[in-house]
Amino acid sequence: MGRDRFGTCLGRVIELSDHDVSEILEEQGPTGRRFGEVALQLRMCRPEDVWAAWWHQLGQALEVVDLNATGVDAQALAHVPRLVAEEFGAIPLRAFGNQLVIAVGAESLPLAQSHLSERLSKQIRFVLASEDQIRDAGKRYYATPERAVLP
């Protein structure tokens, strides 16, 4: 089973006409930017709409990400203590309310899926990344003293 295109997911969150989609795609083509970025720039949606669409899309199928291209939101780090991230071979990428997107390696995925949501008291969607990238990101982003979990 595949997953819906991002524009389809965003169309479930906000009303997008065929003309809106065409305008976004026309702008997106030469720039190579993501559909949601263009929709935001054109003021067709809000950041929380893009989040909701991505959250829905991630629930359909695992996405493989390049952490060097995706980056890590420092605010997401505050939701996952360093020791927990190390234990599960995970790095939090994005956070919104009670929802977290966490990158794990393929080998770490089953254990993370079984325990992290309950352990962190959060709704979690997982993406896959190389274990080397996760390890490097952990060293880089958790270089400061232990981060506390936000209430």
Side-chain angles (χ1 to χ4, degrees):
M1 175 179 135
R3 64 183 191 169
D4 291 337
R5 297 178 73 100
F6 188 81
T8 301
C9 295
L10 186 58
R12 289 190 180 110
V13 176
I14 61 168
E15 190 172 320
L16 286 176
S17 68
D18 290 342
H19 176 75
D20 293 336
V21 172
S22 294
E23 187 176 354
I24 293 168
L25 292 174
E26 186 175 307
E27 177 74 22
Q28 182 186 24
T31 66
R33 292 189 336 224
R34 294 176 174 256
F35 190 95
E37 288 177 61
V38 176
L40 283 168
Q41 177 199 359
L42 297 174
R43 299 176 189 236
M44 292 181 182
C45 64
R46 301 168 304 179
E48 56 266 27
D49 301 327
V50 172
W51 173 268
W54 189 43
W55 184 260
H56 174 78
Q57 189 182 45
L58 288 176
Q60 295 178 339
L62 277 175
E63 180 177 322
V64 177
V65 298
D66 175 352
L67 294 183
N68 297 322
T70 303
V72 173
D73 180 353
Q75 292 180 16
L77 292 168
H79 293 274
V80 182
R82 179 183 53 82
L83 294 176
V84 173
E86 289 174 356
E87 177 183 349
F88 289 94
I91 192 81
L93 299 182
R94 303 287 186 274
F96 187 80
N98 195 42
Q99 300 170 326
L100 282 173
V101 175
I102 297 178
V104 296
E107 290 184 20
S108 303
L109 181 63
L111 184 63
Q113 285 177 318
S114 296
H115 300 290
L116 263 180
S117 184
E118 184 177 320
R119 182 100 169 254
L120 298 173
S121 299
K122 303 281 182 191
Q123 296 175 36
I124 298 175
R125 295 272 203 259
F126 293 97
V127 296
L128 294 177
S130 82
E131 293 179 17
D132 288 341
Q133 284 187 344
I134 291 168
R135 191 173 23 262
D136 291 347
K139 288 177 186 175
R140 182 172 48 246
Y141 292 104
Y142 283 112
T144 58
E146 181 66 33
R147 294 178 184 267
V149 175
L150 295 176

